Amino acid sequence: MFAVSTKSLAVLALAGTVALAGCKPAAAPSAGPKADAPAMASALPAQHVSRTARLQAFLVQRYGSNATLSGEWRGSWTDDGDTHAMNWHVCAEQPVLTGDSWQQLLAVCGALVDGAHIDPGTIEFFVLRPKGESLEVASELTGERFGSGGQPGTASIIRAGSDFYGFRVEDGWFGQGFSLLSQSLILPGPNGLVVSGSVRSHIDNDAQYECDGVEAGTDAETAEDCRSRRFSIDFALRFDDSDRSARIWPLLIEETGSTCGGKQVQQQHRFTLDPKTWTYSFPESLQREGCE
């Protein structure tokens, strides 16, 4: 989808990952991979209309006159025939080189104005390409639900190969003493953007068991029982770029932390993208809600 070239436009300043949080998780999210910028030529032809001006014009065309590159704007979202009042904002955007031209990756997050605890928000994903002095849609994925409490989670742009870019979304559910955070990958397939898979990014039940308040000296059995029930595990996602020229890099997930019984966990999982389904085959163990 994204072929890297040293030819492009001087106004493109690849800023790396731009990620704006749509909610504040109770547990610190794990660090995900970031889209590093390919080298670009220093002397390139000028544009009549800047990239940011084109992007702003696209937002207005798509979301109305109140849409803006910075800050929120009020709008609506129709889901399953119901129209909801929404607060929209740009949660990730980055230009990437492709062949002799460039493309613009864009994620727009929507939060429900009156979202209940169980209600997700939404994120809309776009790959845009220049057309004259404007931008047009090359591929899009809309209507995807993420998050809880009406909030959509966070979005960032990732580099998954030598000329292969996409999106990473992290969202979560918090309740009854549990924190369950997930990470999803949205990648460009042969027929457009697709959700290529979802795994946990962090799980814990720290808020359910306050073991530090149990005095082991007076109630050792209770303290040990409390500790045996606690778990806190991170699933750090990154791409193996040891072969920088590879079209698509292998995906690595580092599982670390402590599981029930105080057992320490440190394990690496390696995956490749299925060229037929354009998805990753993640085991259920990487989508669990508690101890193995």
Side-chain angles (χ1 to χ4, degrees), residues 228-244:
S228 70
R229 295 173 183 270
R230 289 184 64 175
F231 59 86
S232 180
I233 304 173
D234 291 315
F235 304 85
L237 181 153
R238 67 183 179 89
F239 290 92
D240 180 4
D241 62 353
S242 55
D243 181 3
R244 300 283 294 181

Side-chain angles (χ1 to χ4, degrees), residues 54-55 57-58 61-62 102-105 126-140:
R54 296 182 186 204
L55 191 53
F58 172 80
Q61 179 187 33
R62 186 75 181 225
W102 57 278
Q103 290 182 328
Q104 172 71 51
L105 272 64
F126 302 93
V127 176
L128 307 174
R129 61 191 173 205
K131 180 181 181 182
E133 295 188 345
S134 62
L135 293 172
E136 68 174 2
V137 175
S139 180
E140 65 181 278

Side-chain angles (χ1 to χ4, degrees), residues 52-173:
T52 54
R54 296 182 186 204
L55 191 53
Q56 175 63 43
F58 172 80
L59 289 171
V60 170
Q61 179 187 33
R62 186 75 181 225
Y63 294 97
S65 59
N66 292 329
T68 177
L69 271 171
S70 59
E72 291 186 347
W73 69 90
R74 182 63 63 90
S76 62
W77 175 48
T78 300
D79 180 41
D80 289 338
D82 297 324
T83 300
H84 308 276
M86 303 289 288
N87 288 322
W88 296 98
H89 72 278
V90 172
C91 46
E93 68 93 355
Q94 180 179 314
V96 296
L97 300 176
T98 169
D100 293 328
S101 186
W102 57 278
Q103 290 182 328
Q104 172 71 51
L105 272 64
L106 172 68
V108 180
C109 289
L112 290 170
V113 173
D114 298 315
H117 183 66
I118 63 172
D119 293 332
T122 187
I123 305 179
E124 301 191 335
F125 307 94
F126 302 93
V127 176
L128 307 174
R129 61 191 173 205
K131 180 181 181 182
E133 295 188 345
S134 62
L135 293 172
E136 68 174 2
V137 175
S139 180
E140 65 181 278
L141 182 64
T142 61
E144 295 298 310
R145 303 183 182 110
F146 298 98
S148 61
Q151 301 294 323
T154 64
S156 59
I157 293 169
I158 56 170
R159 185 178 183 183
S162 61
D163 58 354
F164 192 56
Y165 294 83
F167 302 89
R168 174 182 178 266
V169 173
E170 185 171 42
D171 61 348
W173 180 88

